Coordinates of all heavy atoms in Angstrom, one line a residue:
H272 N -58.5 34.4 22.7 CA -58.8 35.7 23.3 C -59.9 36.4 22.7 O -60.6 37.2 23.4 CB -57.5 36.6 23.2 CG -56.4 36.2 24.1 ND1 -56.4 36.6 25.5 CD2 -55.2 35.5 23.9 CE1 -55.3 36.1 26.0 NE2 -54.6 35.5 25.1
Q276 N -60.7 41.5 20.9 CA -60.1 41.8 22.1 C -58.6 41.5 22.2 O -57.9 41.9 23.1 CB -60.8 41.0 23.3 CG -62.3 41.3 23.4 CD -62.5 42.8 23.8 OE1 -61.8 43.3 24.6 NE2 -63.6 43.4 23.2
V277 N -58.1 40.8 21.2 CA -56.7 40.2 21.3 C -55.7 41.3 21.4 O -54.7 41.2 22.1 CB -56.5 39.3 20.1 CG1 -56.3 40.0 18.8 CG2 -55.2 38.4 20.4
S278 N -55.8 42.4 20.7 CA -54.8 43.5 20.7 C -54.7 44.1 22.1 O -53.6 44.3 22.6 CB -55.1 44.5 19.7 OG -54.9 44.0 18.4
A279 N -55.9 44.3 22.7 CA -55.9 44.9 24.0 C -55.3 44.0 25.1 O -54.6 44.4 26.0 CB -57.4 45.3 24.4
E280 N -55.6 42.7 24.9 CA -55.1 41.7 25.9 C -53.6 41.6 25.8 O -52.9 41.5 26.8 CB -55.7 40.3 25.6 CG -57.2 40.2 25.9 CD -57.5 40.4 27.4 OE1 -56.7 39.9 28.2 OE2 -58.5 41.0 27.7
A281 N -53.1 41.6 24.6 CA -51.6 41.5 24.4 C -51.0 42.8 24.9 O -49.9 42.7 25.6 CB -51.3 41.4 22.9
G282 N -51.6 43.9 24.7 CA -51.1 45.2 25.3 C -51.1 45.2 26.8 O -50.1 45.7 27.4
K283 N -52.1 44.6 27.4 CA -52.1 44.5 28.9 C -51.0 43.7 29.4 O -50.3 44.0 30.4 CB -53.4 44.0 29.4 CG -54.6 44.9 29.2 CD -55.9 44.2 29.7 CE -57.1 45.0 29.4 NZ -58.4 44.3 29.8
A284 N -50.7 42.6 28.7 CA -49.6 41.7 29.1 C -48.3 42.4 29.0 O -47.4 42.2 29.9 CB -49.6 40.4 28.2
L285 N -48.1 43.1 28.0 CA -46.8 43.9 27.8 C -46.7 44.9 28.9 O -45.6 45.1 29.5 CB -46.7 44.5 26.4 CG -46.7 43.6 25.2 CD1 -46.6 44.4 23.9 CD2 -45.4 42.7 25.3
F293 N -49.9 36.5 28.2 CA -50.8 36.4 27.0 C -51.0 35.0 26.5 O -52.0 34.6 26.0 CB -50.3 37.4 25.9 CG -51.0 37.3 24.6 CD1 -52.2 38.0 24.5 CD2 -50.6 36.6 23.5 CE1 -52.9 38.0 23.3 CE2 -51.3 36.6 22.3 CZ -52.5 37.3 22.2

Side-chain angles (χ1 to χ4, degrees):
H272 286 282
Q276 301 295 320
V277 70
S278 294
E280 291 295 324
K283 289 178 185 177
L285 293 181
F293 175 79

